[in-house]
């Protein structure tokens, strides 16, 4: 978790979107880092979405984030399986505004060079990638 805090960009003015928020582990950190930004949390799985909604008192969007509006996005965060990451590359990246940041955990975006890569302080030294859409 500390690796993600360390790599998050500062001074954002647009929306933050966590695609697949699961059990909500990043919610407190994102709220603290971006108190003035609109943050959207997306999770299709009903049990984690309900848990997150109840524990953190937030609106979790239970829709397919591939249908989301990314026009005001300034930071996208995703920790998804490789098949979904490929769809992020083909379906979402082309919609993102110039300058938008994309943070991925574990799985990189193929064919793109990250601005920064750090290793988490966990057993696996899990990589966290930060990209910027140019």
């Amino acid at each position: 978790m500390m690796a993600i805090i360390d790599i998050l960009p500062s001074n954002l003015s647009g929306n933050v979107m966590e695609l697949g928020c699961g059990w909500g582990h990043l919610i407190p950190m994102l709220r603290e880092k971006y108190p003035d930004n609109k943050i959207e949390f997306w999770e299709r799985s009903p049990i984690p979405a309900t848990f997150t909604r109840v524990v953190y008192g937030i609106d979790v969007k239970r829709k397919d984030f591939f249908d989301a509006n990314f026009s005001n996005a300034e930071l996208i965060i995703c920790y998804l399986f490789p098949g979904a990451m490929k769809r992020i590359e083909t379906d979402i990246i082309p919609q993102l505004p110039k300058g938008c940041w994309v943070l991925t955990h574990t799985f990189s975006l193929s064919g793109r060079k990250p601005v920064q890569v750090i290793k988490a302080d966990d057993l696996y030294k899990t990589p966290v990638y930060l990209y910027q859409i140019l």
Side-chain angles (χ1 to χ4, degrees), residues 2-20:
M2 290 306 294
I4 292 174
I5 292 170
D6 293 342
I7 199 171
L8 284 171
S10 297
N11 303 321
L12 298 182
S13 58
N15 296 348
V16 176
M17 300 173 76
E18 185 181 6
L19 308 181

Side-chain angles (χ1 to χ4, degrees), residues 16-28:
V16 176
M17 300 173 76
E18 185 181 6
L19 308 181
C21 68
W23 300 96
H25 299 294
L26 297 181
I27 292 170

